Amino acid sequence: MKTPLLQFTDKGIYCKQADVYLDPWRPVDKAIITHGHADHSRWGNKEYITHHKNIPIISHRLGEIKSTGIEWGETFTINNVKFSLYPAGHIIGSSQVRVEHKGEVRVFTGDYKTEDDGISTPYEAIKCHTFITECTFGLPAFKWLPQQEVLSDINNWWQENKNEGKTSILFGYSLGKAQRLLKYLDTGIGTIYTHGAIENMTEVLRPLASFPPTKLITKETTKKDLPGNIVLAPPSAHGSSWIRKMVPYVTASASGWMTFRGARRRRAIDKGFVLSDHCDWQGLLSSIEATGAEKVICTHGYSDIFSEISARIRL
Ligand SMILES: [Zn+2]
């Protein structure tokens, strides 16, 4: 039997012909990395090949690594297999990987979203024979509103909390979501304070995109500094003693999972904003369509349900 161009192994997606792994979860010699999130760029690989904008991000997270930076659409060949990276629109420097060998083309999306967030290079559909797509939100219940609506709701929420003399605490992942929120927060309302994890990552990203000024919360930050202002914090800070010092406050989370009210209640968060750096159901369907792929393989999330329902819709 012919060796598939990309296969699933216990170390991750593997291209045997080139002896290279895509986003491996165990250390390998040569890894092509789609983006900087911890579940995609892990420590211990001998060589990292990735978009050049992702290099400062993974270097910040992983320390000293051997890396090669690639430009969008630039072809690099390993053992006669042609690889190239195309924008995935998920976070800064996030890529899809196009693999071509003997006329066959496969694309691995990594994480992606179709909406232009104004920070990441927008997603581009790539024609291929086989499309390996993530489907974190692969259920019809996931339907995103245009981001401008959500972001203006967030600013209105901040203003309302300010009117009541409260501090707004907004949770989002320190890489990607936090900067997307930051970019659109209305500094006319007040000051944007940050948790250290977000401040550090934003510093890494400032040369790559424009963001409003932020103020790191330090020991010198006093209780009277915060009311009326907003604090950007990673979800892990929720319930910590760090947060408790900010009373009176109101909390909110910005995530695709906020689609489910139960998710917000379980996390004991006051307000949920549905804002995701992944595709919603319709985004997945239209992306798949646009690739013209004969074969679609879904990874992550509700992959079984997604494959089944989308197959039925196609009938
Ligand atoms: Zn990701």
Side-chain angles (χ1 to χ4, degrees), residues 127-179:
K127 294 279 177 206
C128 57
H129 301 105
T130 303
F131 188 53
I132 304 172
T133 175
E134 64 119 334
C135 56
T136 308
F137 293 104
L139 282 177
F142 296 110
K143 192 177 183 324
W144 312 150
L145 289 171
Q147 66 169 2
Q148 282 316 326
E149 282 183 40
V150 182
L151 293 160
S152 88
D153 284 352
I154 290 174
N155 281 318
N156 291 339
W157 169 80
W158 178 12
Q159 181 65 59
E160 282 164 24
N161 299 333
K162 183 185 176 178
N163 297 346
E164 291 172 11
K166 291 176 181 165
T167 303
S168 302
I169 302 176
L170 183 55
F171 296 109
Y173 290 114
S174 54
L175 168 58
K177 185 63 63 63
Q179 292 77 30

Side-chain angles (χ1 to χ4, degrees), residues 46-92:
K46 286 201 182 125
E47 189 184 350
Y48 294 77
I49 303 168
T50 191
H51 189 268
H52 60 81
K53 284 188 178 174
N54 189 34
I55 289 181
I57 298 170
I58 57 174
S59 301
H60 171 71
R61 285 204 30 249
L62 304 174
E64 210 165 294
I65 52 168
K66 186 184 172 199
S67 59
T68 307
I70 304 293
E71 187 49 274
W72 306 124
E74 176 188 343
T75 301
F76 54 101
T77 304
I78 308 171
N79 294 350
N80 287 324
V81 182
K82 288 182 186 167
F83 293 90
S84 44
L85 304 179
Y86 290 88
H90 172 58
I91 60 169
I92 292 184

